[in-house]
Amino acid sequence: MVACLPMQTEPRISAPSVVAISWTAAIAAFPLALILAVLGQGLGALVGGCQWIGASLPLDRQVWALVNQPVLNFASLPTAGGYWLGSVMVPLIVAALVIPLFLRSNSLIVEISVIQLAWGAAVVAVAWLPLLDQADGHLARWLDLHDLPPTLVWLAPVLAAGAGLLPTLRLLELARRRHKDTGRAYRVILVVFHLITPVVVWVGLVSLIRSSVPLEATLAIAAPACAAIVLAWLRYPAPYVRRLERPTVSGVVALVICAAVVMILVWISGRPLPDDASTSILWGQPQAYNNIRPWIDPFLILR
């Protein structure tokens, strides 16, 4: 009996309370993926010699780290590689490494949140964003500037599908702590509830804002979603061995606060405006050579 106690410390991963926690974590993780993309582009721009002055985080468009460029033709220079590819590479690194390298916690809430962080980075920043706006998307523009086939942009959802297997596998490992005999149907339903449902809600929300479904981006985000379902159908992983604490009220409150802060930040930095415009925030003065798009309405927060 004593040996079984660690397996009974937390509720089943399929319990409604745990699913609600998972969805709350997804509410934070999906818009956080936009921030990771902007962070990647901003860091890449800094390496290339730009001055990072702001950010635009619309849900229905490509996100942008707003920068003052050192020269007019900066975008076509070799030093601009990080500027164009950072928005994919940084989220991809997070999606691939946050689970294996994350300092393990005894909290079920933290484990679920890390799963959603990795999943959100993969599906939103790596799969979805590069196909959301191929006319002015970061990866698409980089391919065009280097005379590479535009179809290579579809490598992004392929990479996302691979990275998305890691949070899927961890979710299935957590499921086997309290449910040793997880059949195929149970595993697929579990993945649908925890991982696929937030994806469907995200696509629906963006489609509502755009007043149309972004077909290419939807096909792209379907790649990691389908890969997760296939893995759940085929794989029967060993149970996660670390003892986990039951969710606490303070932990849930902290998660809700984090989700609210992320949503407010993204809303302030990218809410839709009339005439097909979006907001952005600036903490630096734009100069002559900047990358502020015509549809971006910048708001200077530091004067």
Side-chain angles (χ1 to χ4, degrees), residues 54-75:
S56 179
L57 297 167
L59 297 182
D60 59 332
R61 294 180 184 265
Q62 180 73 63
V63 299
W64 286 93
L66 305 179
V67 301
N68 288 323
Q69 301 171 351
V71 292
L72 180 61
N73 65 333
F74 167 76

Side-chain angles (χ1 to χ4, degrees), residues 59-188:
L59 297 182
D60 59 332
R61 294 180 184 265
Q62 180 73 63
V63 299
W64 286 93
L66 305 179
V67 301
N68 288 323
Q69 301 171 351
V71 292
L72 180 61
N73 65 333
F74 167 76
S76 61
L77 299 178
T79 53
Y83 168 77
W84 290 119
L85 301 180
S87 60
V88 173
M89 296 309 299
V90 167
L92 181 60
I93 291 171
V94 171
L97 298 183
V98 67
I99 288 179
L101 296 185
F102 180 74
L103 183 62
R104 289 293 149 225
S105 169
N106 290 331
S107 169
L108 178 62
I109 293 178
V110 172
E111 285 294 332
I112 292 292
S113 298
V114 171
I115 288 172
Q116 290 291 2
L117 173 60
W119 177 248
V123 299
V124 174
V126 182
W128 171 266
L129 281 181
L131 276 300
L132 186 61
D133 182 8
Q134 289 207 59
D136 199 26
H138 303 165
L139 180 55
R141 286 289 304 278
W142 183 82
L143 293 171
D144 181 62
L145 288 169
H146 290 80
D147 296 320
L148 295 171
T151 53
L152 290 178
V153 74
W154 288 95
L155 287 176
V158 174
L159 293 173
L165 297 180
L166 296 175
T168 306
L169 188 61
R170 178 53 54 85
L171 179 69
L172 297 175
E173 291 173 351
L174 291 178
R176 289 207 61 202
R177 281 184 55 80
R178 294 291 311 276
H179 198 296
K180 287 189 176 182
D181 297 323
T182 53
R184 283 177 170 173
Y186 176 84
R187 299 196 302 268
V188 169

